[in-house]
Amino acid sequence: MKLSWLGVDVSRVLHLAAVFCLTCVLLKAIQLYHRRRELLRALADFPGHPTHWLFGHVHEIPRITSAINTLSRGLDKWEQLITDGEPVELFEHVSLMTLDNIMKCAFSCHSNCQTNRKNTYIQAVYSLCLMVHQRLRIFPYHNDIIYWLSPHGYQFRKVCQLAHDHTDKVIQERKESLKDEQEFEKIQKKRHLDFLDILLCAKDENGAGLSDEDLRAEVDTFMFEGHDTTASGISWLLYCLASHPEHQARCREEIQGILGHRETLQWEDLGKMTYSTMCIRESLRLYPPVPGVSRQLSKPITFPDGRTLPEGSIAAISIYLIHRNPAVWKDPLVFDPLRFSPENISGRHSHAFLPFSAGMRNCIGQQFAMNEMKVALALTLLRFELSPDPSKPPCKIPQIILRSKNGIHLYLKKIR
């Protein structure tokens, strides 16, 4: 039976529409196929593991008082968790602690998120890391249209909105406070503006400020990178020192010697933590929070042996493998803080150690992160003795952030 509407053959129109959609899908598939063949030809001369056809081949000034108070609140919570003598899974608690810290130091926001274990922002960040890693590995998902139409793309947008809602709330609360003229004048007179103050007060040559979209992008980046990477660094640092009690004891002695009879850590103390800093760097070598970075080539690059990568290729650099390369590091799997003594650093290549990447796109928050790790280490070792849980060794999963699939479980023994 022929269907018609206003003299138009509806069935024929639907048939033509279906053919058109199918043609578009086939053309896009052919385009992806040819792009993949170009990449495979370019990469044929490079070593690598065989891959399934679905997978892509390549791919300040810190506010120390605020940090001490924030991190101390986290340690107070840890004390309540060890009353039964059971090990504690630290990664989640450290993540909440670093999020609370970045909220206070960079945004002057009292989030008190450490009291909420089911923090929606933390859960959203975990999910986004997993989804981005998944998209990188599944080649068809490299195309925006295919990804957005997929169930995974829908879920990604849904989780992104949760993260954006958290960011928008922080921005809007500060904007509301700035409507008060006295509060605005108070912020302008501050000796050290925080990150959000600078963004909200910034004007271009025409006197226009950042748009809401620009503000959200900047805050999203700083909030995500400012807490999740540092949480990874602190968690793996505590695991390293728990696994090597001799280095843990030496760090504790150093910190106690610096403080003397004082109980409060001061800004000047951070520069005196020589051995502790070497331990931090060695843990960052073995467990870099960001295990790899990538760059899209703006022009073709030819290597000394004649092999070439074309313009537009995405070149991935494995920081994790560089840090464990036996040609660069002697006994690379051994935890040895003395690798970072002044005499050992002097003869080493500048790009042998890249926990914060390098070049123009390196981490803008690396100084903040290093100081936060020093404060967290000092406060933790002054209060607890750490030891690993042999029944639950960590299982590394190198996604965007280096995590442990089963968490990081440590015994904490209160020492004062």
Side-chain angles (χ1 to χ4, degrees):
M1 179 179 176
K2 182 183 289 187
L3 298 174
S4 63
W5 181 69
L6 297 178
V8 179
D9 188 345
V10 176
S11 61
R12 182 171 176 78
V13 171
L14 292 176
H15 175 74
L16 290 174
V19 171
F20 176 76
C21 291
L22 180 59
T23 302
C24 289
V25 171
L26 287 174
L27 288 174
K28 179 56 69 175
I30 291 170
Q31 183 184 23
L32 284 170
Y33 174 74
H34 283 294
R35 175 59 178 161
R36 176 157 179 82
R37 289 198 64 181
E38 289 176 8
L39 289 173
L40 289 175
R41 280 197 297 268
L43 297 171
D45 294 331
F46 293 85
H49 297 290
T51 56
H52 191 276
W53 71 275
L54 280 175
F55 293 82
H57 189 79
V58 290
H59 303 281
E60 91 218 29
I61 299 176
R63 300 170 71 176
I64 187 169
T65 303
S66 296
I68 290 174
N69 292 337
T70 303
L71 299 176
S72 293
R73 285 199 300 271
L75 299 180
D76 291 340
K77 187 174 73 171
W78 294 6
E79 284 193 19
Q80 300 171 11
L81 298 173
I82 62 173
T83 54
D84 57 1
E86 292 296 314
V88 177
E89 195 292 297
L90 288 184
F91 206 112
E92 181 181 5
H93 297 293
V94 174
S95 293
L96 290 170
M97 187 167 67
T98 55
L99 176 60
D100 200 11
N101 193 44
I102 196 72
M103 293 282 284
K104 181 65 178 73
C105 292
F107 306 107
S108 297
C109 177
H110 299 274
S111 68
N112 295 318
C113 64
Q114 296 190 67
T115 60
N116 181 11
R117 289 193 62 179
K118 299 302 178 184
N119 183 280
T120 55
Y121 182 75
I122 293 287
Q123 301 303 320
V125 168
Y126 285 173
S127 299
L128 288 173
C129 287
L130 181 62
M131 292 176 184
V132 171
H133 184 68
Q134 176 193 58
R135 186 181 183 187
L136 289 173
R137 295 175 66 236
I138 300 177
F139 184 70
Y141 280 178
H142 292 190
N143 179 267
D144 288 340
I145 295 176
I146 293 176
Y147 187 66
W148 297 138
L149 293 176
S150 72
H152 292 126
Y154 170 77
Q155 186 64 24
F156 180 82
R157 293 193 299 275
K158 186 177 178 181
V159 177
C160 265
Q161 191 57 51
L162 286 175
H164 288 329
D165 289 344
H166 181 271
T167 303
D168 289 341
K169 182 181 177 183
V170 172
I171 295 172
Q172 290 306 316
E173 286 179 354
R174 181 59 63 84
K175 278 188 170 182
E176 287 298 319
S177 69
L178 289 180
K179 290 180 181 179
D180 183 338
E181 291 186 5
Q182 290 184 342
E183 182 67 18
F184 184 73
E185 291 177 1
K186 181 181 176 182
I187 288 176
Q188 288 188 317
K189 292 178 180 178
K190 285 167 65 174
R191 183 179 178 186
H192 298 303
L193 297 178
D194 65 33
F195 181 70
L196 190 52
D197 290 335
I198 294 170
L199 291 177
L200 290 172
C201 295
K203 306 288 182 183
D204 63 15
E205 59 274 10
N206 299 318
L210 292 171
S211 67
D212 288 344
E213 187 176 351
D214 291 336
L215 277 171
R216 178 203 272 177
E218 295 293 339
V219 173
D220 268 342
T221 300
F222 207 79
M223 194 178 296
F224 173 81
E225 292 296 339
H227 97 270
D228 207 32
T229 54
T230 311
S232 174
I234 292 173
S235 299
W236 288 110
L237 168 64
L238 297 181
Y239 170 73
C240 285
L241 293 182
S243 303
H244 300 86
E246 68 280 13
H247 298 299
Q248 179 185 160
R250 186 166 173 181
C251 287
R252 185 178 292 109
E253 290 171 4
E254 177 183 67
I255 295 162
Q256 290 171 338
I258 292 171
L259 288 180
H261 297 295
R262 288 185 287 114
E263 293 188 357
T264 305
L265 202 63
Q266 297 177 355
W267 165 248
E268 294 76 14
D269 297 332
L270 302 185
K272 302 173 185 177
M273 294 171 58
T274 307
Y275 193 78
S276 299
T277 302
M278 290 194 291
C279 288
I280 291 173
R281 288 175 176 164
E282 178 66 347
S283 74
L284 291 174
R285 182 189 69 83
L286 280 171
Y287 303 100
V290 180
V293 294
S294 62
R295 299 289 185 267
Q296 185 170 24
L297 301 184
S298 58
K299 59 183 179 180
I301 181 172
T302 300
F303 294 91
D305 59 8
R307 294 180 294 180
T308 300
L309 287 176
E311 177 185 346
S313 298
I314 297 177
I317 302 165
S318 177
I319 295 173
Y320 182 89
L321 292 180
I322 291 173
H323 286 183
R324 292 171 177 245
N325 186 349
V328 179
W329 303 91
K330 183 181 178 182
D331 299 324
L333 301 183
V334 175
F335 183 82
D336 180 11
L338 292 178
R339 299 178 197 273
F340 293 94
S341 63
E343 57 272 20
N344 288 329
I345 290 176
S346 59
R348 189 175 297 140
H349 193 282
S350 60
H351 284 48
F353 181 60
L354 300 170
F356 301 105
S357 187
M360 294 176 64
R361 297 294 301 277
N362 68 358
C363 175
I364 63 171
Q366 56 185 283
Q367 197 63 42
F368 180 91
M370 282 296 295
N371 286 323
E372 185 174 2
M373 291 182 72
K374 289 180 184 180
V375 173
L377 176 63
L379 296 181
T380 302
L381 294 188
L382 288 172
R383 197 181 296 197
F384 300 108
E385 183 179 299
L386 313 174
S387 57
D389 179 1
S391 67
K392 296 178 183 176
C395 178
K396 298 187 294 293
I397 45 172
Q399 298 176 355
I400 294 179
I401 306 298
L402 186 65
R403 305 180 187 278
S404 170
K405 186 175 182 179
N406 58 335
I408 294 181
H409 298 265
L410 300 181
Y411 286 99
L412 306 178
K413 180 182 177 183
K414 197 170 184 302
I415 58 177
R416 74 171 192 178

